[in-house]
């Protein structure tokens, strides 16, 4: 097994124990109603703790002033929620914050999607998370949801969204094992627009603030023998880092801007701003 397969099997036993089938799937609906979306920011941003280009896009809600839980978030297709993670502290500052939720969803054994920064989840999903606290994660079977099912809410901030196809690997991350420990999904990031029905894809693309192809953005810019791409300080355990409160300190990226790839940006992990 590759380090990625080993990491996934040990990290997400509910997925690998309960999935069936493989290959890509078509989604049924947008996670947010189109009218609830102000804009979509593509893959590849570099901001905050994300020193290397980000493997998810951001749905900006139409009106942040309406507060938390203002907008419904729905499952984009039948799925097994194989990991549920609340977050009560900021990743970047370690300061206490209002709770966010991350949900990882498998549509079969090789194709998955992810939401983060939900401001709440439905009571049924929260109960499942509480069950994981009482059981060994190896005994937990995840929670099944149907396409279009309400899974939670978001408001006063963005919603993270990404899609991952474990049957492909990005060619522009030339050291894929560097990500195996902390973010094994990263090397499998794919353009989500191709998996939505045409009318939904067109509506989402109309909200996307990147005008050049690929419209979903790009995260893999490693080019052997050049400065382009992701770099990690020697002896800092690659992407996973040493100081887990600031795992990104040893990260460096040199890559095109996610909106205008004619501009290049340098991200340096040890600079506090």
């Amino acid at each position: 097994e590759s380090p990625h397969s080993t990491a996934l099997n040990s990290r997400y036993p509910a997925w690998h124990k309960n999935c069936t089938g493989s290959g890509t799937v078509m989604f049924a609906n947008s996670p947010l109603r189109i009218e609830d979306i102000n804009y979509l920011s593509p893959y590849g941003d570099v901001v905050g703790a994300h020193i290397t280009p980000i493997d998810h896009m951001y749905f900006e809600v139409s009106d942040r002033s309406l507060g938390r839980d203002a907008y419904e978030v729905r499952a984009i297709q039948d799925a097994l929620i194989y990991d549920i993670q609340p977050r009560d502290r900021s990743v970047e500052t370690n300061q206490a914050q209002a709770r966010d939720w991350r949900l990882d969803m498998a549509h079969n054994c090789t194709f998955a999607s992810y939401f983060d920064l939900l401001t709440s989840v439905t009571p049924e999903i929260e109960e499942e998370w509480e069950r994981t606290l009482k059981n060994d994660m190896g005994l937990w079977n995840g929670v099944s949801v149907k396409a279009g099912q309400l899974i939670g809410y978001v408001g006063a901030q963005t919603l993270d969204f990404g899609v991952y196809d474990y049957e492909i690997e990005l060619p522009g991350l030339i050291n894929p094992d560097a990500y195996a420990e902390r973010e094994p999904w990263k090397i499998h990031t794919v353009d989500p627009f191709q998996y939505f029905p045409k009318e939904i894809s067109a509506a989402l693309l109309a909200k996307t603030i990147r005008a050049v192809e690929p419209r979903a953005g790009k995260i893999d810019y490693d080019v052997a023998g050049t400065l382009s791409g992701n770099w990690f300080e020697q002896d800092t355990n690659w992407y996973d880092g040493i100081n887990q409160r600031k795992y990104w300190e040893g990260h460096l990226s040199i890559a095109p801007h996610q909106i205008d790839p004619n501009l290049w940006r340098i991200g340096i992990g040890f600079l506090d701003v």
Side-chain angles (χ1 to χ4, degrees), residues 19-39:
C19 70
T20 58
S22 62
T24 62
V25 303
M26 287 299 295
F27 302 136
N29 50 266
S30 171
L32 293 172
R33 297 189 309 165
I34 300 300
E35 57 266 36
D36 291 342
I37 303 167
N38 184 0
Y39 62 84

Side-chain angles (χ1 to χ4, degrees), residues 1-176:
E1 277 192 336
S2 74
H4 293 90
S5 297
T6 302
L8 285 164
N9 284 321
S10 60
R11 184 168 181 160
Y12 303 124
W15 179 8
H16 290 273
K17 185 170 57 174
N18 298 290
C19 70
T20 58
S22 62
T24 62
V25 303
M26 287 299 295
F27 302 136
N29 50 266
S30 171
L32 293 172
R33 297 189 309 165
I34 300 300
E35 57 266 36
D36 291 342
I37 303 167
N38 184 0
Y39 62 84
L40 268 72
S41 182
Y43 294 149
D45 199 359
V46 173
V47 63
H50 295 294
I51 302 302
T52 63
I54 301 170
D55 58 17
H56 49 264
M57 54 182 56
Y58 296 96
F59 285 80
E60 176 64 47
V61 296
S62 59
D63 187 350
R64 288 196 181 202
S65 72
L66 296 180
R68 292 168 60 87
D69 295 356
Y71 300 100
E72 294 181 342
V73 181
R74 295 187 175 272
I76 54 178
Q77 188 48 276
D78 297 353
L80 175 75
I81 300 176
Y82 61 86
D83 196 42
I84 304 170
Q85 293 183 23
R87 185 186 304 105
D88 297 315
R89 289 187 172 275
S90 166
V91 172
E92 295 173 10
T93 67
N94 200 41
Q95 299 298 308
Q97 63 171 32
R99 175 168 285 181
D100 293 331
W101 292 85
R102 171 182 175 134
L103 301 179
D104 287 278
M105 291 161 284
H107 305 290
N108 56 39
C109 296
T110 62
F111 197 69
S113 61
Y114 136 102
F115 293 127
D116 201 354
L117 304 185
L118 284 86
T119 45
S120 69
V121 294
T122 60
E124 296 80 11
I125 292 174
E126 189 160 1
E127 286 170 13
E128 284 295 332
W129 169 69
E130 291 172 354
R131 191 167 288 121
T132 71
L133 301 181
K134 299 172 185 175
N135 292 333
D136 181 332
M137 280 296 285
L139 302 176
W140 186 65
N141 289 316
V143 54
S144 294
V145 295
K146 293 294 185 182
Q149 181 177 329
L150 179 67
I151 57 175
Y153 298 88
V154 69
Q157 60 190 29
T158 58
L159 175 72
D160 288 8
F161 174 60
V163 177
Y164 311 99
D165 181 352
Y166 287 81
E167 293 188 314
I168 70 100
E169 286 192 9
L170 292 175
L173 293 175
I174 59 178
N175 182 16

Side-chain angles (χ1 to χ4, degrees), residues 218-232:
K218 180 176 166 66
I219 70 167
D220 57 322
Y221 290 102
D222 295 353
V223 180
T226 75
L227 286 174
S228 180
N230 298 343
W231 297 82
F232 303 100

